[in-house]
Amino acid sequence: MAFASFGKATSSDTNSSSKPEPGFSFGPIRSVTNSSSQPEPGFLFGPVCSVTNSSSKPETDLLPAATSSDTKSAHKPQKVTKKINFSPLDFSLLLPNQWRNMDWSEEVKETLLESVRSFKPASESVTEARILLIGPVGAGKSSFISSVQSVFSGRVINRAMVGSSSSTSFTKKLRSFNIRGAGEKADEPTALVLCDVMGVGEGESTGLTLHDALSVIKGHAPEGHQFSPEQPIGADTVGYMRKPSTKDKVHCVAFVVDGSKVGSYAKSFGTTFQQLREHISNLGVHQVALLTHVDQVCKATGSDITQVYKSQTIQQAMVKAGALLGMATSYIVPVKNYCSELDLDENTDILLLKAVDHILQYVNLYFQDNSD
């Protein structure tokens, strides 16, 4: 096994039988120059010198580099290799190939934009697809809505107001956002409506309750309803819809989970999510999930979002999200929201649009299952 030498090899030895013993050297080491000797495994971090005593073992003292004329006849100087340190979160956990196929190009972005713009629900009585975002406080629900609107507007905007606290929900009301274009197409809304609600807390007294979440999905909750754990949605709620039609109901639920916190959520979240999923499934509504803040999960992905599907760290975070939600990872997609940026990024747009396209596939399944 060859040494990884970072110095110059110097003069020859006078003994034909001695071998250097393995060890770690942090200074110049005098090497055996006998043509019959073989170096044993070790790590060299300094210039290699020669052992002149046939019976001595390699010394571990810090010795000055050899400068004798013997070096000219022994070995040619070896090239010094510069050692570069990479953080484990940078590149060591990146795979050579993507674990999900993903194309990154302007053509792909335009295709996805047109696909969403041209989407029409497969129902004669429904003109808009209503998607409800559910997740813990601070997971990125409102940020996702604003980010998607930013993509279609051609500039970063904050249409859905976003809070700065991760402990209390900034969103208190049911708000529906129709995604619109920009410029000449501003008056041409898409058929995509993203619904924002209060964040799920660690207990029903601190966030959206199971009862209220199901009331929204069933279409009973009026637009602008103020959520309060002490006042659940019921027949006496102002604007309560007693007999909601298909267009008033939610057609797909997207759970939103913070990828940077997915391993530290309280166990109560897992119980709440899985109870929600069971009840939502009984209503015939399909569910997907968004893994947000992937730029904070993996440093390499934070520097280059196109590395997202090469990152083992993000892949592992998705597995944890699946366990938390009781959901197969094939339903989960990673996204990066626009938070501090002032300008759009093409690859970030592609990842956001791919998430919307993923959601709309399950919206279509809902209408196929509930065709008029």
Side-chain angles (χ1 to χ4, degrees):
M1 176 177 177
F3 279 80
S5 175
F6 294 84
K8 296 181 180 180
T10 58
S11 66
S12 61
D13 79 346
T14 58
N15 188 303
S16 61
S17 61
S18 64
K19 297 182 181 179
E21 296 182 359
F24 295 86
S25 175
F26 296 90
I29 297 180
R30 295 181 295 174
S31 66
V32 177
T33 58
N34 184 355
S35 60
S36 64
S37 64
Q38 296 180 353
E40 296 185 11
F43 293 86
L44 301 184
F45 295 89
V48 180
C49 303
S50 64
V51 175
T52 56
N53 187 338
S54 61
S55 63
S56 63
K57 297 180 181 179
E59 298 179 9
T60 58
D61 299 321
L62 298 180
L63 303 177
T67 57
S68 73
S69 59
D70 292 346
T71 59
K72 296 180 180 179
S73 60
H75 300 287
K76 293 181 179 180
Q78 296 184 12
K79 183 179 179 180
V80 176
T81 304
K82 183 179 180 181
K83 185 178 180 182
I84 301 174
N85 293 319
F86 292 111
S87 166
L89 292 179
D90 285 340
F91 300 102
S92 63
L93 294 179
L94 290 182
L95 300 169
N97 299 308
Q98 297 185 115
W99 42 271
R100 268 189 192 167
N101 292 328
M102 186 76 169
D103 294 326
W104 308 89
S105 68
E106 185 178 354
E107 291 75 18
V108 169
K109 176 183 172 180
E110 291 303 320
T111 299
L112 289 168
L113 275 169
E114 185 55 34
S115 176
V116 178
R117 285 194 189 107
S118 61
F119 173 81
K120 300 296 179 186
S123 173
E124 294 181 359
S125 61
V126 179
T127 58
E128 297 173 338
R130 292 176 59 81
I131 294 93
L132 176 64
L133 304 179
I134 294 180
V137 175
K141 301 180 297 299
S142 301
S143 293
F144 177 74
I145 294 172
S146 290
S147 296
V148 172
Q149 182 61 75
S150 295
V151 176
F152 283 88
S153 297
R155 60 189 179 89
V156 176
I157 60 173
N158 291 309
R159 190 176 174 196
M161 291 185 290
V162 180
S164 59
S165 172
S166 60
S167 59
T168 58
S169 180
F170 186 83
T171 303
K172 303 293 186 182
K173 298 180 180 180
L174 169 62
R175 298 194 64 193
S176 302
F177 296 88
N178 190 298
I179 304 304
R180 297 176 176 272
E184 296 179 356
K185 297 184 178 181
D187 295 329
E188 299 178 16
T190 67
L192 175 66
V193 176
L194 299 177
C195 304
D196 200 8
V197 293
M198 188 178 192
V200 176
E202 292 189 20
E204 290 218 334
S205 61
T206 60
L208 184 72
T209 65
L210 173 63
H211 171 83
D212 282 1
L214 296 176
S215 295
V216 172
I217 296 168
K218 293 175 183 178
H220 294 303
E223 179 69 15
H225 171 74
Q226 180 87 29
F227 293 101
S228 173
E230 293 79 23
Q231 297 179 336
I233 297 171
D236 57 346
T237 299
V238 177
Y240 181 83
M241 303 182 72
R242 295 178 182 276
K243 295 182 179 180
S245 63
T246 304
K247 68 180 182 63
D248 302 313
K249 299 177 181 179
V250 166
H251 310 127
C252 182
V253 172
F255 286 92
V256 183
V257 177
D258 184 344
S260 67
K261 299 178 181 177
V262 68
S264 59
Y265 279 128
K267 291 183 179 180
S268 59
F269 278 120
T271 302
T272 299
F273 286 144
Q274 293 183 35
Q275 285 180 345
L276 268 169
R277 293 202 62 237
E278 183 177 350
H279 284 83
I280 294 169
S281 294
N282 291 336
L283 296 176
V285 178
H286 294 276
Q287 303 141 63
V288 298
L290 307 175
L291 186 74
T292 60
H293 300 133
V294 293
D295 52 317
Q296 297 176 25
V297 175
C298 171
K299 198 170 183 180
T301 301
S303 300
D304 180 4
I305 198 65
T306 64
Q307 303 300 314
V308 64
Y309 283 125
K310 287 185 177 181
S311 171
Q312 293 186 71
T313 307
I314 292 175
Q315 190 178 34
Q316 292 164 6
M318 290 183 66
V319 171
K320 292 178 182 178
L324 180 73
L325 297 167
M327 180 183 289
T329 54
S330 58
Y331 294 98
I332 307 172
V333 290
V335 295
K336 176 186 181 300
N337 293 329
Y338 286 112
C339 297
S340 60
E341 299 84 353
L342 296 178
D343 299 301
L344 296 178
D345 171 73
E346 183 177 276
N347 293 323
T348 300
D349 289 354
I350 291 173
L351 201 62
L352 288 162
L353 288 168
K354 196 68 176 177
V356 174
D357 183 68
H358 179 71
I359 291 170
L360 291 178
Q361 291 180 37
Y362 289 94
V363 170
N364 272 330
L365 288 178
Y366 174 87
F367 288 119
Q368 291 174 19
D369 297 341
N370 298 274
S371 58
D372 296 335

